[in-house]
Amino acid sequence: MPQVPQTFFDALAVRTWCGLALRALGRAREEIDAINVYPVADGDTGTNLYLTVESAATAVEAVFTGHEAGAAPHGTPSLADAARAMAHGALIGARGNSGTILAQLLRGMAQVLAAEGESPHTDAAGLRLALRRASDSARQAVARPVEGTVLSVASAAADAAADAEGDCGTVAKAAYRGACTALAATPGQLAVLERAGVVDAGGRGLVAVLAALVETFTGETAAAPSGTGAFAAAEGCDHAGGPADPQAPGLPAGVESCADDGAGGGPAFEVIYLLEAEDAAVARLRERLDALGDSLVVVGGDGLWNVHVHVDDAGAAVEAGVEAGRPHRIRITHFGADDVHARGGGSPPRERVQRAVVAVVPGEGLAGLYTEAGATTVLARPGEPPASGELVQAVRRAHAREVVLLPNDADLRHTAAAAAEQARAEGIRVALIPTRSAVQGIAALAVHEPDRRFDEDVVAMTSAAGATRYAEVAVAERQSWTMAGICQAGDVLGLVDGDVAVIGADVTAVAETVLGRMLAAGGELVTLVLGEEAPEGVAERLEARVRETYLAVDTVVYRGGRQGALLLIGVE
């Protein structure tokens, strides 16, 4: 269906742009991953950019949903609301070096579009100013800017836009063409790109985002540039291309280890975290992290930052964040032997395993349990459900021909279904078992046998999950109507199969009542997963209750860590 063009920058234009950019990056993701050779050839730039924009688009959609539901006095959000949501979503969802820089580009634009105390920047002049602010702020966020990267492409786009006269569509087209020309020039600026015969992957992703901006304001679809036809791309980004070596996606032919402009090894870890800190503390943090490693990018502001760095001492990088403020959503990736940049160009990629299990888990303790059982895990922190792209990335990381996907949350069924569909399109056989709780996932994993036929394994795991009733004990955050009556903020809730069944004041008492109701229908095994804030003695009290009342029932206890719920209960 043709895109209806926007004539000026308003909230709907932000929403449209985010949606089009997400689709554009989805189409280009594999190509961008394949040409990713700088700063580390780990073949994930396209995926990281996609996840970053997915988070931005989700945040913008949430703002529109809130207004449409009557949560605000007007039915449509303001440009400032949408722009801030875009920037915040990108900030908290930024992945990798290029994703973090893209988040700052979007933040720079939002600072202009959402400027307070000024008339809205909705016209071509506002767009020119926004593109310039984006480029400048992104460059300032990088500790040691390197030409021939996405920074060069962003600067060229802003320069071209500054010289354009006309409406927003004209400015967007100029920025896109300027970015295309700069993208084609990146191999001449960065030796590792020239040796590989590719353009910069982050710059290629930015071109896709700018093509979406053109479509937003003109309704016209800009032709995609080539990743490997680096020098041909200067004629206007209208050449198609793919990876030079289809047998080694993520590593074009002739590319060797290139962690730092092809100079050799490089830091062993990528560390990313969100940080709540004051500006002065962040300035000190930049200096410390710059001394620890490279590829340092710190983006954000107003008390919330996204920190990205490559280091050999991941613990020191996290410790520096603790000294600066409160780090959370910490992600540490080891550039290990299975990564492209560590293998070198002459070694073949590792062989795929036949079958793997990918599971979403709500806490660090359960992540360890699932990992010990052989599963690839995706951590879902309280209030931070994973996006479909993260699940797809985990499926790829499992490196298997067949994958069993366990979402372990009823609210993730659509996200997991989308991830499964995308993975199938990549040639991976995926079975989605609709587990609604981590305890159902534990039951499914317990009967998993990778040596039997795939269909038989899936049936057995599905049957085990379906035979497991699940419950949780949590604390109400606000007053609400429930199946068990009205609860107040601070009340202890016992939920059975997703519905509130018990309301009380004491965690242990509510847990006993919930467990009693579940065992009244029979059962052979009780699984208890304790959250980090569960009161002392609750597990011992429940185990004693089971021993005293249900002689043939066994109990197992796990510690789930920071998992949201105080207690998860499973009865098989």
Side-chain angles (χ1 to χ4, degrees):
M1 183 175 180
Q3 176 65 43
V4 177
Q6 302 293 310
T7 56
F8 55 91
F9 229 131
D10 59 4
L12 184 58
V14 173
R15 183 191 206 182
T16 301
W17 181 30
C18 287
L20 290 173
L22 186 63
R23 287 195 285 274
L25 287 171
R27 292 190 298 268
R29 181 191 57 75
E30 288 188 1
E31 178 203 340
I32 297 172
D33 281 348
I35 64 172
N36 173 201
V37 299
Y38 183 85
V40 172
D42 47 357
D44 63 358
T45 292
T47 300
N48 288 335
L49 290 170
Y50 178 88
L51 292 173
T52 302
V53 173
E54 183 180 46
S55 182
T58 299
V60 173
E61 285 302 318
V63 169
F64 271 84
T65 299
H67 280 74
E68 290 164 359
H74 304 292
T76 303
S78 67
L79 171 59
D81 290 337
R84 289 192 191 101
M86 173 185 70
H88 182 74
L91 177 67
I92 65 174
R95 301 288 193 279
N97 188 69
S98 294
T100 308
I101 293 173
L102 178 60
Q104 189 68 2
L105 287 166
L106 295 179
R107 178 178 172 81
M109 292 193 70
Q111 287 174 331
V112 172
L113 299 175
E116 297 180 0
E118 302 177 22
S119 58
H121 295 289
T122 61
D123 57 3
L127 179 55
R128 287 192 291 268
L129 184 60
L131 290 167
R132 173 55 63 196
R133 178 72 64 83
S135 173
D136 292 346
S137 61
R139 190 169 286 271
Q140 292 165 5
V142 177
R144 298 179 184 275
V146 174
E147 297 306 325
T149 65
V150 63
L151 297 176
S152 303
V153 176
S155 294
D159 290 343
D163 295 332
E165 296 293 336
D167 58 13
C168 285
T170 303
V171 173
K173 283 183 177 180
Y176 172 73
R177 293 192 189 102
C180 285
T181 301
L183 178 66
T186 56
Q189 297 172 292
L190 209 50
V192 64
L193 302 179
E194 186 173 29
R195 287 197 300 272
V198 299
V199 294
D200 178 66
R204 169 66 181 88
L206 179 57
V207 165
V209 172
L210 290 173
L213 187 65
V214 172
E215 187 173 356
T216 298
F217 288 115
T218 68
E220 301 171 7
T221 302
S226 166
T228 55
F231 302 101
E235 296 301 321
C237 291
D238 59 353
H239 299 273
D245 180 4
Q247 299 303 315
L251 187 64
V255 180
E256 300 178 355
S257 176
C258 52
D260 189 5
D261 198 19
F269 297 95
E270 177 184 60
V271 178
I272 304 174
Y273 48 81
L274 290 179
L275 178 69
E276 296 176 16
E278 299 297 327
D279 290 5
V282 171
R284 292 190 296 271
L285 175 67
R286 288 180 194 268
E287 294 180 3
R288 180 165 179 189
L289 292 180
D290 190 34
L292 284 175
D294 60 30
S295 298
L296 173 61
V297 186
V298 181
V299 304
D302 302 320
L304 182 63
W305 309 81
N306 191 309
V307 179
H308 169 281
V309 67
H310 294 173
V311 293
D312 282 318
D313 189 343
V318 175
E319 182 181 318
V322 173
E323 292 178 2
R326 189 178 79 86
H328 52 106
R329 294 187 69 171
I330 301 168
R331 292 180 176 86
I332 300 174
T333 302
H334 180 226
F335 297 132
D338 289 331
D339 291 327
V340 172
H341 87 291
R343 285 201 311 264
S347 303
R350 64 185 173 106
E351 183 69 20
R352 287 184 180 275
V353 298
Q354 183 60 32
R355 189 175 309 156
V357 176
V358 173
V360 180
V361 292
E364 292 85 353
L366 280 180
L369 174 67
Y370 272 75
T371 300
E372 287 178 8
T376 298
T377 61
V378 178
L379 190 59
R381 296 170 177 82
E384 301 172 1
S388 63
E390 290 181 81
L391 300 188
V392 173
Q393 198 172 28
V395 170
R396 296 192 193 108
R397 195 168 69 245
H399 208 63
R401 298 181 183 89
E402 301 168 338
V403 171
V404 180
L405 181 57
L406 306 175
N408 291 340
D409 187 337
D411 292 336
L412 288 177
R413 61 189 184 279
H414 296 306
T415 300
E421 192 63 32
Q422 183 172 339
R424 291 182 190 119
E426 297 176 10
I428 303 171
R429 189 179 186 188
V430 180
L432 171 60
I433 297 179
T435 49
R436 293 174 289 177
S437 170
V439 293
Q440 288 189 323
I442 292 172
L445 200 55
V447 301
H448 167 55
E449 292 186 15
D451 293 332
R452 63 184 164 195
R453 291 179 57 246
F454 184 63
D455 292 340
E456 292 175 354
D457 198 28
V458 171
V459 168
M461 295 176 72
T462 302
S463 178
T468 302
R469 297 187 300 282
Y470 66 96
E472 68 177 74
V473 177
V475 176
E477 296 180 355
R478 58 185 176 277
Q479 184 186 61
S480 180
W481 289 88
T482 75
M483 296 286 288
I486 300 176
C487 71
Q488 305 294 329
D491 283 348
V492 179
L493 307 180
L495 296 87
V496 179
D497 292 335
D499 292 323
V500 176
V502 181
I503 301 174
D506 181 74
V507 173
T508 302
V510 169
E512 283 194 73
T513 302
V514 167
L515 184 56
R517 291 190 184 186
M518 296 176 75
L519 286 173
E524 299 175 353
L525 177 67
V526 172
T527 301
L528 304 176
V529 182
L530 301 176
E532 67 176 0
E533 295 183 2
E536 289 291 331
V538 63
E540 290 79 1
R541 176 60 192 140
L542 295 177
E543 285 184 284
R545 171 74 181 275
V546 171
R547 283 196 305 269
E548 295 165 1
T549 313
Y550 308 95
L551 300 180
V553 179
D554 294 323
T555 305
V556 293
V557 180
Y558 302 109
R559 295 199 173 274
R562 184 170 175 260
Q563 63 182 22
L566 298 173
L567 177 68
L568 300 178
I569 304 173
V571 174
E572 301 176 47

